[in-house]
Amino acid sequence: MNTTRTALAVGAAATLLLAGCSGSEQGPAGGSTPTGSRGSAVSAERCAQNEAAGTVTYVTGFQYQASASILDPVAAQALGYFDDVCLDVEIQPGTGQTAQNAQLVASGTAQLSSIAGNGDVLVNVSNGVDVQAVAVFGHVPVATLMTEPDVTDLRQLEGTTLGHKGALPVTIEAMLRAAGVDLSTITQVKVGYDPNVLVRGQVQSLTGYKSNEPLTLAAAGEQITTWNPEDYGVPGSMATTIVNPRFLAEHPTAVEDFLRAQLRAYDHCEQHAEECVADAAELARAGYDTEHNVQVWQTETKLVDSSLPPGQVLGQVDDTAARTEGEFLVQMGQIPAVPDLTQVLVPDLVPSLYAEGQLVWPVP
């Protein structure tokens, strides 16, 4: 693990003891039992400021999947961390449509939301949607392309059929072009969410997410090869948190302490994945694959930790990387120009929550 993350874990443990707040205990259903008391991590003045924000609505990226920026807010709620900082948070499940999430936040229907990555923020802002990015967890594309093991060169896909969820992800397109593939020879088809279309031979390549479809196929004993955009120099990011700019301006402490609680819960869930997934399962109720979602979380946290730039803290918005991603989107024809990043990104917010690499909890 990156040394900054290690320091965070040690610091979180130290401040936990100093604050006299134990993490959590296992409840009867295997999830978290809230500890601490209302306002235990903030002063009375800051508590009043946060309560003045009213109900803070957070929309997840996709349902209650155990992904970064989804499982951690769910856990923060279950562990009582939001209550500790006097925040009344309502978590709503998203549909996976990033444009919809951005519009909900821009309209003020929601105050914060998870969105796939910085690229999605830039595309939405370029389309006139007024949101700001306040946190980003992964600095690597989460998309992947799956093939059967007999494909050893992406140019073998010429003349074959590629399956996607509705559109070819721009990072996958860039990877194929970088590998010298003539995309005009590939037939693209929309498929459902069953990755077995690949192993049944209905498609010869299939787009997906590193933390989802490959895990499903591996659990079924299927052998596949995954092709990742970052191996071809393609930039990307994952698990970005966006905010309504007006809400941030009017209630800065509420946004700060939402992220503070989220980051603390992220650290807790790295050590207690099963407990946190049980919290999400309780919200999702029927049909929630607990074992698979533990694997989703563990896969994504590895991606987050391994891609954290040296010297940065978890959640920090990297404006240089965001510009690189924006320039890539311009090159790929996704946006006409890189938006004014000073109006889109809030890079100093998350670092302000740390002291010497350690998340500050409780708030002084």
Side-chain angles (χ1 to χ4, degrees), residues 84-98:
D84 290 344
V85 294
C86 297
L87 285 176
D88 297 310
V89 176
E90 179 183 349
I91 299 177
Q92 296 183 354
T95 63
Q97 300 296 319
T98 57

Side-chain angles (χ1 to χ4, degrees), residues 157-183:
L157 297 180
E158 293 180 352
T160 67
T161 300
L162 179 151
H164 56 63
K165 304 298 186 292
L168 182 63
V170 64
T171 53
I172 300 299
E173 178 184 345
M175 176 182 71
L176 292 170
R177 292 188 184 282
V181 177
D182 183 354
L183 286 172

Side-chain angles (χ1 to χ4, degrees), residues 44-340:
E45 179 183 3
R46 193 174 181 98
C47 181
Q49 291 174 329
N50 288 347
E51 288 181 333
T55 300
V56 178
T57 300
Y58 182 86
V59 182
T60 72
F62 179 69
Q63 301 296 326
Y64 296 109
Q65 180 171 284
S67 293
S69 77
I70 298 178
L71 188 64
D72 29 322
V74 167
Q77 184 85 296
L79 290 161
Y81 293 170
F82 290 136
D83 199 42
D84 290 344
V85 294
C86 297
L87 285 176
D88 297 310
V89 176
E90 179 183 349
I91 299 177
Q92 296 183 354
T95 63
Q97 300 296 319
T98 57
Q100 183 181 72
N101 280 24
Q103 289 163 1
L104 287 171
V105 171
S107 68
T109 303
Q111 285 69 52
L112 294 128
S113 172
S114 173
I115 199 168
N118 289 341
D120 299 275
V121 178
L122 298 177
V123 168
N124 278 283
V125 169
S126 295
N127 290 332
V129 182
D130 188 16
V131 295
Q132 291 179 304
V134 288
V136 60
F137 285 80
H139 300 268
V140 63
V142 71
T144 190
L145 183 70
M146 297 162 282
T147 68
E148 293 277 19
D150 60 350
V151 175
T152 57
D153 188 312
L154 286 173
R155 286 172 294 186
Q156 291 176 243
L157 297 180
E158 293 180 352
T160 67
T161 300
L162 179 151
H164 56 63
K165 304 298 186 292
L168 182 63
V170 64
T171 53
I172 300 299
E173 178 184 345
M175 176 182 71
L176 292 170
R177 292 188 184 282
V181 177
D182 183 354
L183 286 172
S184 67
T185 68
I186 294 179
T187 300
Q188 298 183 34
V189 296
K190 180 180 178 180
V191 297
Y193 286 86
D194 178 10
N196 288 295
V197 295
L198 175 65
V199 296
R200 288 198 297 260
Q202 293 170 268
V203 297
Q204 287 68 57
S205 59
L206 178 68
T207 65
Y209 298 97
K210 297 183 179 83
S211 56
N212 193 10
E213 292 88 350
L215 302 178
T216 299
L217 292 171
E222 301 291 352
Q223 299 294 316
I224 62 165
T225 298
T226 55
W227 303 82
N228 298 318
E230 63 270 25
D231 296 332
Y232 291 79
V234 178
S237 53
M238 55 179 282
T240 297
T241 300
I242 56 175
V243 68
N244 177 287
R246 181 174 177 178
F247 182 79
L248 174 59
E250 293 178 351
H251 303 286
T253 64
V255 177
E256 291 167 7
D257 290 343
F258 179 97
L259 293 173
R260 193 188 307 274
Q262 178 184 0
L263 290 162
R264 186 170 189 244
Y266 181 101
D267 188 71
H268 177 88
C269 292
E270 280 206 292
Q271 310 303 320
H272 305 281
E274 291 81 3
E275 173 193 312
C276 293
V277 169
D279 295 327
E282 187 173 346
L283 292 176
R285 300 184 181 179
Y288 195 83
D289 189 336
T290 299
E291 183 178 355
H292 174 74
N293 274 282
V294 168
Q295 293 181 327
V296 169
W297 174 251
Q298 292 173 337
T299 300
E300 292 208 3
T301 53
K302 287 179 182 177
L303 291 171
V304 168
D305 290 340
S306 63
S307 66
L308 183 64
Q312 293 190 17
V313 293
L314 177 68
Q316 183 172 343
V317 175
D318 187 333
D319 48 2
T320 300
R323 179 168 295 282
T324 298
E325 199 167 343
E327 291 169 349
F328 162 72
L329 293 173
V330 173
Q331 179 184 350
M332 296 298 295
Q334 298 295 303
I335 57 177
V338 179
D340 181 357

Side-chain angles (χ1 to χ4, degrees), residues 22-48:
S22 61
S24 68
E25 299 175 354
Q26 288 294 327
S32 303
T33 300
T35 59
S37 59
R38 180 76 173 181
S40 61
V42 291
S43 66
E45 179 183 3
R46 193 174 181 98
C47 181

